[in-house]
Amino acid sequence: MAAKEVYTEYMGFDNLVAAEITADTLEAFTPGEVFKLAPAGEIKKSTERDQAARSYDNQTYILIKSEGDDTVELVVPVLPLSIESKIIGSDYNEATGSLSNDGRPKTKYFALGYRLLCSDDTYRYVWRLKGTFALGDEEAKSKEGTDSNNMTLTYTGIPTRHKFAATGKPAKDKVVDERDGLLNYDQWFDQVVTPDNEEELIKA
């Protein structure tokens, strides 16, 4: 069955999850267990892209293109300290529920999963395979009516170091549309979907 060419618009965003990447080497790409990151508020994704022209024989002859990191800005409620400590690499004491930050940032990599609701009532499912989280500024003021403040997370996505057997290349993401009807989409968030395991989701 071929994928359907349907044009829609985004109308919603939910199922925001993550999984720590425990290994990303030439030999293996190993995500940990998927966990709920936060209720999904807003999302904005941008990608660094560059293009340069080379001229020969007095005309543009070659266009050289490059693609850099992905930046995903997330608006979420204030995170529990246990989740905040996990994604930024701070120490968390389960006995006291306290977070301790030594001022030395630790680089921890995570896969990021979510889905986007389209205007035809189907979803676009996404896994971003490797990136880091950064916390935005915290802001609060004396209580006044119903005013409140949420939290901003910035996820910077990069390609894996691992080259997947299915493609022979690294990967930054996996994206599918529910309207195509090709996969068991209810299993999309059971594990991080990669080029090497995506066919496990194909409908029998």
Side-chain angles (χ1 to χ4, degrees):
M1 183 188 301
K4 297 177 182 178
E5 294 185 358
V6 178
Y7 300 92
T8 66
E9 296 187 350
Y10 294 136
M11 295 187 65
F13 161 52
D14 65 3
N15 278 52
L16 185 60
V17 298
E20 185 172 356
I21 304 305
T22 59
D24 178 25
T25 65
L26 296 178
E27 296 74 28
F29 178 77
T30 311
E33 184 177 349
V34 177
F35 63 91
K36 184 175 180 62
L37 179 61
E42 299 177 24
I43 186 169
K44 179 181 179 181
K45 195 265 294 187
S46 58
T47 302
E48 294 180 7
R49 292 186 174 91
D50 195 14
Q51 180 173 288
R54 297 288 184 265
S55 296
Y56 297 94
D57 291 337
N58 300 317
Q59 65 181 29
T60 300
Y61 201 85
I62 299 172
L63 286 176
I64 301 173
K65 298 182 178 182
S66 67
E67 181 173 300
D69 301 341
D70 294 334
T71 300
V72 181
E73 296 179 3
L74 301 165
V75 177
V76 298
V78 176
L79 297 177
L81 292 177
S82 58
I83 299 295
E84 180 176 326
S85 65
K86 175 183 275 229
I87 65 173
I88 66 173
S90 295
D91 296 319
Y92 180 72
N93 187 326
E94 291 187 3
T96 63
S98 66
L99 178 152
S100 297
N101 187 352
D102 62 7
R104 299 177 180 178
K106 301 173 182 67
T107 301
K108 298 181 71 175
Y109 293 102
F110 293 85
L112 177 68
Y114 55 89
R115 64 182 187 174
L116 302 167
L117 176 64
C118 299
S119 55
D120 62 354
D121 288 328
T122 64
Y123 286 95
R124 171 163 289 183
Y125 288 80
V126 180
W127 269 112
R128 305 207 168 276
L129 299 185
K130 184 180 181 182
T132 59
F133 288 104
L135 302 179
D137 295 338
E138 292 185 5
E139 183 179 348
K141 63 180 181 180
S142 181
K143 184 176 179 181
E144 182 178 330
T146 58
D147 289 348
S148 63
N149 294 92
N150 47 32
M151 190 173 198
T152 301
L153 296 177
T154 300
Y155 177 85
T156 302
I158 61 175
T160 61
R161 184 183 178 204
H162 181 69
K163 294 181 180 180
F164 294 94
T167 60
K169 298 184 290 186
K172 284 203 298 183
D173 54 30
K174 290 304 297 182
V175 183
V176 296
D177 283 330
E178 180 187 17
R179 71 180 65 90
D180 295 333
L182 302 175
L183 305 180
N184 292 307
Y185 302 100
D186 58 346
Q187 299 174 17
W188 183 260
F189 300 110
D190 291 351
Q191 63 178 335
V192 177
V193 179
T194 74
D196 284 351
N197 66 18
E198 64 179 329
E199 292 194 3
E200 297 174 12
L201 298 179
I202 293 177
K203 288 184 176 181

